[in-house]
Structure formats: structure tokens, C-alpha cells
């Protein structure tokens, strides 16, 4: 093919992104170091307030990471052993992990084949008298069917915790035309600032998005050792904080979040354009009900071995990732809940057929052509074009 191997291709290119923002980030970090206010410095609240404005919600409660955000949400809603929480079987482990840790019972539900998102019709079927909450995951950067999920939650008096770790900045459109940001529709939204997330810091970080004042206060208290007044502990809490240095980085990056999402969408559109006409693979389906922030661009390999393509690309210097190779109900750690192969056929199928391509804010046309040309070449070799 006519395109040469560009500079090293990466799944995400955090260093180049940093170089574009270097002056502002360096200055913000230097300022924190000057004050040495590393824990709960003023920038933490400034960033939280700006993220709340961005999402048009009353409260953002920062915490140590996205997994903690989920745990804090479940603790604040007083979910207890014996309670059931509905989660998709095709997601990152953190979603189910905190449920298990708290002694709550995760109830897995299969996802939709085209969107990778929890299937609301199946959610309804899994509700029992013990069900307390639904955790939709806005997987890969697109909102789950929140209108249907909120209706089910309302009908059955359930909490909704939106796992927004992969979809910060995405916007959901209701059928009446009104719009809300991902993570601001349910009872609580949770997110992660893990470096490779769409809004990532230089380490671990997370936050909860909350509308209700009392609930936000309760979350703050639990995240701070269960205290409102220092050394007076009213409830059993945890220690979960966002470092001031991380908040300083995030405050700079938040200003760029919309342009980050645009850059990711440009790459996604290019992939769609180049690969959309092959029946051997499926490009990610976009829903009219949500914008997509493309945390991942994930292909479904319909009529060839996913691992063959993965290897073919690897040999040409193109990294790809499998998110996720084993659905949660088949993970060893979750065998105690008694699920077996065949329980969630879509999740199982996707686990064997998905392949995520490099997508980030720093990709150029040359790199993108190189990737899609290699995929087309693979399809030609396999006689699938
Ligand atoms: C990354 C992620 C989390 C956990 O976030 P951490 O900050 O790594 O703890 C939770 N859920 C989903 C869907 C994620 O992608």
C-alpha cells in the first residue's frame, strides 16, 4: 500500500496530548507544589465546581478513582447484603466488583449486540423483590438507553447508578427533545479520571455526579472517614480523595474536553468511512439518542477470527485491544453467583469477536490511513472484501 509506517502507533498517546497543554499543566502543578497543599487543596473544589457546571448538575464529589466512586455510591444508597443490583455482563470488572465487595448480589443482564449496552427489556425480566438498583454502563462512550432504564427504575422504585467512566461529556437525548449529560440522569453518576479515560489525570482519580444535596453530603462524609466534623465519626466510611495535583491537571484538561471528544469523533468517522462497507466486520453503531465520545472504537469481527486480525495488525506495528475477552458472569472470581456458559449469549459472542482500534486525541490522517489500509489488506488476503 502507498502509506508508509508512521511514527509509533499507540492505543492512546498521552505524552503528545500533554505537550499541547504543557505550559498550562506545568504552571498548574508548580502552583500546587509552591503551596504544598497536596491534599484537599483549593483546586480540588474549583475543579469539582467546574465539572459540575460542565455537566449542569448540582454536585461533583471528587474521590480517589472510578471504582471507589461506584463503591461510595452504593454505600451512600445504603445497599446491603441481601440486596440485588442489576449490571451488564459485558463491562469492565469494577462495576461488579464493588457490588461483590459490599456483599450485595450482582445480577447480570445481557447487552445489545450492536451497541454493547445493557438491554432494558432484559433488565425488567431480572427484577425481583430484592432488586434495589440498576447500574447502566455507558460503555465505550455512548449512553445506554436511559429513557427506558429510568422508566423501569421509576416503575419499580429502584436507584440508578450510571457508570460514566467511559462517557464523560456524552449527551443523552430524550424522546421529548430534552438533553442531559451522561451521568446526570440517574440517582448518581460515577466517573474515572484514569490517565487513558477521556478526561484523564496523571494517576488515579474519580468523581460522583449528584443532584440531591443530602445525598451529595452523605457521599462526601463516607469518602472522608464518615466524618463531618474532624475526629467525630458518625458512620463507617473510607478514605477516598482526589489529590490536589491531579485536580490541577484535570482543571486544565476539562477546558479541552469538548475538543478532545471532537478529535475522537473525527477518528471514528474516518474509521466508519473506510470500514463501514464490509460485511465481514461491523463498525460501532451510533444511537440517535446519544452523542458518542468514543472512549473506544470497537469493531465486531463477524466472519473471521478476531485474533487473526489482531495478530496481522500487530505484525504491522498496530496495537489493538480486546475489551473485554471474558464476560463477567464467566470470570473465575464471580463463579459463586452460579452463572454458566450460555447464560448471556450476546456478551459471550462479543467477547470472542470484539477488537478495539487505536483512538485518541492525537491521531493524524497518515496514521489512520495506515491502520485502515492494513485492515483492508487483511480482508483481501482472507478473501472477505
Ligand atoms: C475505568 C472504569 C472503571 C474504574 O475506574 P478506575 O478509576 O480505574 O477505578 C469503572 N467502570 C468502567 C466502565 C471503567 O471503564
Amino acid at each position: 500500500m502507498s502509506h508508509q509506517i508512521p511514527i509509533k502507533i499507540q492505543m492512546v498517546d498521552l505524552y503528545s496530548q500533554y505537550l499541547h497543554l504543557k505550559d498550562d499543566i506545568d504552571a498548574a502543578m508548580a502552583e500546587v507544589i509552591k503551596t504544598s497543599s497536596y491534599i484537599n487543596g483549593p483546586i480540588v473544589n474549583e475543579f469539582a465546581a467546574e465539572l459540575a457546571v460542565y455537566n449542569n448538575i448540582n454536585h461533583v464529589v471528587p474521590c480517589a478513582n472510578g471504582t471507589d466512586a461506584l463503591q461510595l455510591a452504593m454505600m451512600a444508597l445504603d445497599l446491603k447484603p441481601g440486596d440485588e443490583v442489576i449490571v451488564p455482563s459485558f463491562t469492565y470488572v469494577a462495576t461488579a466488583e464493588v457490588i461483590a465487595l459490599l456483599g450485595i448480589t450482582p445480577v447480570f443482564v445481557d447487552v445489545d449486540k450492536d451497541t454493547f449496552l445493557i438491554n432494558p427489556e432484559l433488565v425488567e425480566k431480572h427484577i425481583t423483590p430484592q432488586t434495589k438498583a440498576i447500574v447502566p454502563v455507558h460503555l465505550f462512550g455512548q449512553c445506554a438507553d436511559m429513557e427506558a432504564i429510568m422508566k423501569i427504575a421509576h416503575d419499580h422504585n429502584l436507584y440508578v447508578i450510571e457508570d460514566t467512566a467511559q462517557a464523560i461529556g456524552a449527551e443523552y437525548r430524550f424522546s421529548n427533545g430534552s438533553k442531559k449529560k451522561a451521568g446526570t440522569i440517574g440517582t448518581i453518576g460515577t466517573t474515572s479520571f484514569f490517565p487513558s479515560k477521556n478526561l484523564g489525570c496523571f494517576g488515579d482519580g474519580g468523581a460522583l455526579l449528584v443532584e440531591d444535596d443530602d445525598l451529595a453530603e452523605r457521599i462526601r462524609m463516607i469518602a472522608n472517614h464518615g466524618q463531618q466534623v474532624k475526629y467525630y465519626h458518625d458512620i463507617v466510611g473510607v478514605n477516598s480523595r482526589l489529590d490536589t495535583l491531579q485536580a490541577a491537571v484535570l482543571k486544565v484538561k476539562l477546558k479541552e474536553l469538548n475538543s478532545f471528544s471532537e478529535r475522537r469523533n473525527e477518528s471514528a468517522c474516518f474509521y466508519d468511512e473506510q470500514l463501514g462497507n464490509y460485511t465481514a466486520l461491523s463498525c460501532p453503531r451510533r444511537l440517535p439518542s446519544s452523542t458518542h465520545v468514543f472512549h473506544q472504537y470497537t469493531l465486531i469481527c463477524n466472519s473471521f477470527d478476531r485474533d487473526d486480525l489482531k495478530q496481522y495488525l500487530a505484525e504491522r506495528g498496530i496495537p489493538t485491544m480486546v475489551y473485554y475477552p471474558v464476560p463477567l458472569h464467566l470470570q473465575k472470581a464471580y463463579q459463586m453467583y452460579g452463572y454458566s456458559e450460555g447464560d448471556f449469549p450476546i456478551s459471550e459472542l462479543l467477547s470472542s469477536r470484539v477488537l478495539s482500534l487505536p483512538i485518541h486525541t492525537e491521531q493524524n490522517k497518515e496514521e489512520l490511513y495506515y491502520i485502515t489500509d492494513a485492515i483492508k489488506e487483511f480482508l483481501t488476503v482472507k478473501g472477505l472484501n
Side-chain angles (χ1 to χ4, degrees):
M1 288 267 153
S2 55
H3 302 282
Q4 291 177 321
I5 300 192
I7 39 131
K8 190 168 152 33
I9 298 178
Q10 305 174 74
M11 285 302 286
V12 287
D13 184 353
L14 298 176
Y15 188 64
S16 299
Q17 188 189 66
Y18 160 71
L19 289 180
H20 286 134
L21 303 170
K22 186 177 185 306
D23 290 348
D24 288 348
I25 289 178
D26 288 0
M29 292 182 86
E31 185 61 29
V32 175
I33 294 166
K34 207 163 96 190
T35 62
S36 300
S37 189
Y38 295 115
I39 301 293
N40 293 334
I43 293 176
V44 178
N45 281 337
E46 286 169 29
F47 163 67
E50 286 174 18
L51 188 60
V53 169
Y54 177 89
N55 283 294
N56 194 21
I57 194 155
N58 284 339
H59 304 276
V60 166
V61 183
C63 66
N65 56 69
T67 309
D68 273 12
L70 286 160
Q71 181 176 335
L72 289 165
M74 291 180 201
M75 289 173 77
L77 295 173
D78 217 12
L79 303 183
K80 289 198 172 66
D83 293 342
E84 294 177 0
V85 174
I86 293 178
V87 286
S89 45
F90 188 73
T91 179
Y92 182 57
V93 68
T95 322
E97 191 169 42
V98 298
I99 299 173
L101 266 179
L102 293 172
I104 311 162
T105 306
V107 173
F108 295 118
V109 165
D110 214 346
V111 295
D112 178 81
K113 171 161 184 300
D114 297 325
T115 62
F116 316 103
L117 300 166
I118 193 164
N119 182 334
E121 279 167 40
L122 298 176
V123 168
E124 187 125 46
K125 290 197 178 115
H126 286 78
I127 291 172
T128 74
Q130 282 70 50
T131 309
K132 290 283 153 50
I134 309 168
V135 186
V137 180
H138 304 313
L139 201 71
F140 301 153
Q142 183 167 233
C143 293
D145 185 350
M146 289 307 294
E147 187 154 340
I149 290 163
M150 292 310 288
K151 180 169 188 321
I152 295 166
H154 184 259
D155 290 350
H156 297 268
N157 199 21
L158 306 174
Y159 298 122
V160 174
I161 301 167
E162 297 176 68
D163 184 340
T164 314
Q166 302 189 2
I168 193 90
E171 192 166 60
Y172 186 80
R173 301 186 200 96
F174 291 86
S175 51
N176 69 5
S178 68
K179 295 174 182 178
K180 279 192 162 198
K181 283 279 201 261
T184 69
I185 302 160
T187 324
I188 299 176
T190 64
T191 197
S192 163
F193 306 124
F194 184 82
S196 64
K197 297 280 156 87
N198 289 31
L199 179 62
C201 58
F202 290 177
D204 275 309
L208 299 94
L209 312 180
V210 193
E211 188 67 15
D212 184 83
D213 298 344
D214 294 338
L215 186 56
E217 203 41 52
R218 190 173 156 76
I219 295 167
R220 281 185 216 285
M221 201 168 152
I222 295 171
N224 185 25
H225 300 290
Q227 66 191 350
Q228 238 160 356
V229 180
K230 207 165 169 68
Y231 305 125
Y232 291 83
H233 307 274
D234 299 339
I235 47 181
V236 177
V238 299
N239 171 22
S240 189
R241 297 184 284 237
L242 179 69
D243 291 348
T244 313
L245 277 170
Q246 303 304 345
V249 172
L250 289 165
K251 198 165 175 275
V252 174
K253 283 208 192 180
L254 177 59
K255 295 188 182 72
E256 307 298 323
L257 181 56
N258 285 346
S259 88
F260 289 168
S261 299
E262 275 167 36
R263 298 296 300 272
R264 287 173 176 277
N265 266 279
E266 281 167 21
S267 292
C269 285
F270 182 87
Y271 284 142
D272 284 350
E273 236 170 69
Q274 295 293 316
L275 304 173
N277 290 328
Y278 294 90
T279 51
L281 53 78
S282 300
C283 295
R285 183 165 162 232
R286 284 110 173 295
L287 294 167
S289 55
S290 176
T291 63
H292 205 316
V293 293
F294 285 100
H295 177 61
Q296 298 299 339
Y297 186 93
T298 302
L299 297 174
I300 304 174
C301 305
N302 295 320
S303 56
F304 57 90
D305 190 330
R306 182 256 327 269
D307 297 323
D308 285 355
L309 176 58
K310 185 171 183 31
Q311 191 189 332
Y312 190 90
L313 296 177
E315 283 162 5
R316 284 150 186 82
I318 302 167
T320 55
M321 290 292 281
V322 175
Y323 302 116
Y324 298 94
V326 181
L328 294 188
H329 69 287
L330 298 180
Q331 295 282 359
K332 219 194 234 168
Y334 298 94
Q335 289 314 291
M336 70 250 202
Y337 300 112
Y339 293 97
S340 53
E341 207 162 333
D343 285 344
F344 304 109
I346 308 286
S347 296
E348 291 167 26
L349 182 83
L350 289 173
S351 292
S352 68
R353 296 199 177 278
V354 287
L355 192 66
S356 298
L357 302 180
I359 192 161
H360 54 81
T361 57
E362 313 300 316
Q363 288 178 300
N364 58 34
K365 271 281 149 64
E366 191 190 14
E367 169 178 331
L368 290 166
Y369 268 117
Y370 180 76
I371 294 167
T372 55
D373 282 353
I375 295 170
K376 290 177 183 182
E377 209 176 77
F378 169 87
L379 294 171
T380 304
V381 170
K382 292 271 174 183
L384 292 167
N385 55 342

